Amino acid sequence: MPKNILLIHADQWRHDQFGSPKSYTPYLDALTAESTLFTNHHTQVLPCSPSRASMYTGLYAQTHRVRCNKTPLNRRHKTLGHYLRESGYIPTLFGYTDTILDPTGLHPNDPKAQPRFEILPGFEDGCHQPDSHPYRWMAHLRKQGVAFDGPRDMYRADKSRPNGNGGVAGYPTLYEAKDSDTAFLVDNLMGWQREQADGWCAMLNFLRPHNPTVASEPYNSLVDPKTLALPVQNGQMDAQKQTHPFIKHALENNDAGNSHPDLSGLVSEVSDTDKQSMRAVHLGLMAEIDDNLGRLFQQIKDMGQWDDTLIMFSSDHGEMMFDYNLCNQFSFYDQSITVPLIWKMPADANAPKNQTVSEFTEAVDNIPTLLACLGADIPECLDGRSLLPFIQGNQPTEWRQGTRWEIYFEALADTDFAKQHGLQKSDCMMSVYKDKDFKHIFFPKLPPVLFDLKNDPEQTVNVANDPKYTAVERTYLSQQLTNYITHLDRSLNKK
């Protein structure tokens, strides 16, 4: 059993670094050299709060029912915090979990019944920093003399200083790197960790590189936009609109201003200069996280606790960042859903180092993996499987041949798009299943999507209605139904 546990989650991490010829995460690369890297890892559901609900319960959305942001997490579900406490740890949060608490039993006028982001049940408050109102960080900035008007204004770019990359995202923040939200969280964790004896347990959840896509110096100019690959299907709108009505709607309504306040119009209308500027600063924000993790890792080593500490690094979801002429994560393309996963074991576990696993893994696998590392029983109700055999250098028997995820777009329920297609709120979702050969997307009241990944790896042609693929589409629809039935709620099962 590890003496110490450090769980790290980024937000909206782009796993491929936009094709950069160099890595901007040397400290995570060094961690990987001591760890197992899962290269085919996927989050479970979009958007943010549902994704985190799956991460923190080990359940698919069909069971935890957090379908959109600010949906309460039913109190009947055990969380990562509860499981850690049952193994003797006091898990402490630094950052946020996008959790809305279950208001059952509260009067509607009770302020606690109002939807606001709270700490995940089971965790202690090390430095709670809800992304909607990071009040502690805001107080810190004001002490440093940074002037701003409110929770979003502190991310305003300082246009009195030089633009670091020549594009819309190149201007630096009002605050210095030492005072960023990333540095502030790590400072708080490091201060807490210095006072802990062996047996500490912390979860460090960064907001970044999630938008707003603005970075402090030197991260606003760290990455040369010209070294990054141009977005996939850049500007190829007409053919892409034929893929599916949902994608057509997204292309015709995706407001660039949601990605950066100085952009306007549609995402597809943004200039290549500004697209690459945004991608470069997104990568710069990833580099900032990495540098601060380097500080934290060094302190753990200096305190002689590195070999006794289990570390996991991952992200809640990915980011399109102009691939397929889209931004953020509301799409069925892999850039939205593929995320990194690194597991570093304590030295006495004698696990192989610097190994890579390419099997399909999912966010719901992490709680079973942690429980296996702690020698605890894995409840039958959990939807994931332990990755410990992989980490120990073994191949599990009968491992999954594909991965599944869901996307909920209930925000469109009252739009003309929903009315045009006869969609009720419950219809505003899609279920995705992907293996090495095909990707199948099921919509309750919209046409399906089928991509032939071997012949069309960039996923440009929907072949669901091609007669040559009729049997294939039916096979994958059957697999989707099997996935749903297999993972019906098993919370009352004995184990």
Side-chain angles (χ1 to χ4, degrees), residues 202-481:
M203 183 161 71
L204 174 61
N205 288 357
F206 295 106
L207 171 63
R208 304 316 212 129
H210 190 289
N211 54 303
T213 310
V214 56
S216 57
E217 294 176 334
Y219 300 103
N220 66 313
S221 60
L222 180 67
V223 181
D224 181 354
K226 296 177 181 178
T227 65
L228 306 181
L230 284 170
V232 176
Q233 295 289 299
N234 188 35
Q236 300 178 31
M237 295 278 293
D238 292 340
Q240 193 184 349
K241 287 181 180 180
Q242 303 304 313
T243 303
H244 192 268
F246 177 83
I247 293 298
K248 182 177 184 292
H249 173 81
L251 292 171
E252 294 176 348
N253 293 273
N254 206 330
D255 184 1
N258 292 332
S259 297
H260 195 282
D262 292 333
L263 290 175
S264 60
L266 297 177
V267 166
S268 59
E269 297 170 341
V270 175
S271 69
D272 284 353
T273 296
D274 285 341
K275 289 176 183 176
Q276 297 303 84
S277 170
M278 292 273 288
R279 287 156 79 93
V281 171
H282 188 94
L283 185 46
L285 291 167
M286 292 165 57
E288 182 181 28
I289 287 178
D290 187 74
D291 282 347
N292 280 278
L293 287 178
R295 293 194 297 130
L296 173 61
F297 293 165
Q298 189 59 53
Q299 175 172 291
I300 296 173
K301 292 174 182 177
D302 291 344
M303 294 182 64
Q305 296 181 338
W306 184 257
D307 287 344
D308 296 325
T309 301
L310 180 151
I311 300 176
M312 187 217 71
F313 174 83
S314 193
S315 180
D316 62 344
H317 53 72
E319 158 66 54
M320 293 304 297
M321 196 53 73
F322 301 102
D323 280 338
Y324 298 95
N325 304 289
L326 299 169
C327 274
N328 299 314
Q329 72 282 154
F330 275 104
S331 80
F332 46 63
Y333 296 109
D334 293 5
Q335 289 86 341
S336 290
I337 212 79
T338 304
V339 292
L341 178 63
I342 302 170
W343 278 89
K344 172 203 165 292
M345 300 297 287
D348 61 8
N350 295 316
K353 296 182 179 181
N354 199 26
Q355 63 173 344
T356 298
V357 175
S358 60
E359 303 289 339
F360 287 103
T361 58
E362 300 181 341
V364 292
D365 295 332
N366 285 326
I367 287 181
T369 303
L370 184 59
L371 292 174
C373 291
L374 299 178
D377 291 335
I378 299 175
E380 187 178 338
C381 65
L382 297 182
D383 287 317
R385 294 180 59 185
S386 170
L387 304 176
L388 187 57
F390 289 120
I391 295 170
Q392 294 173 330
N394 302 315
Q395 176 68 39
T397 58
E398 299 182 2
W399 192 256
R400 66 172 68 94
Q401 298 301 304
T403 185
R404 62 174 293 202
W405 65 89
E406 297 166 288
I407 302 175
Y408 292 89
F409 48 97
E410 294 182 354
L412 300 183
D414 296 324
T415 65
D416 290 339
F417 171 76
K419 294 175 184 177
Q420 176 186 353
H421 295 281
L423 304 182
Q424 302 297 316
K425 187 175 182 180
S426 60
D427 302 320
C428 294
M429 65 86 64
M430 65 183 90
S431 176
V432 186
Y433 178 76
K434 173 190 173 183
D435 61 19
K436 294 179 181 179
D437 298 323
F438 292 91
K439 178 192 281 187
H440 183 268
I441 301 100
F442 167 79
F443 296 81
K445 288 190 178 179
L446 292 173
V449 176
L450 182 69
F451 292 122
D452 183 340
L453 300 180
K454 287 190 173 181
N455 294 310
D456 180 24
E458 285 197 355
Q459 304 170 37
T460 60
V461 180
N462 177 10
V463 297
N465 293 322
D466 186 331
K468 292 186 298 185
Y469 289 90
T470 298
V472 174
E473 197 278 326
R474 288 295 176 183
T475 297
Y476 279 78
L477 177 60
S478 176
Q479 181 63 56
Q480 293 257 34
L481 182 59

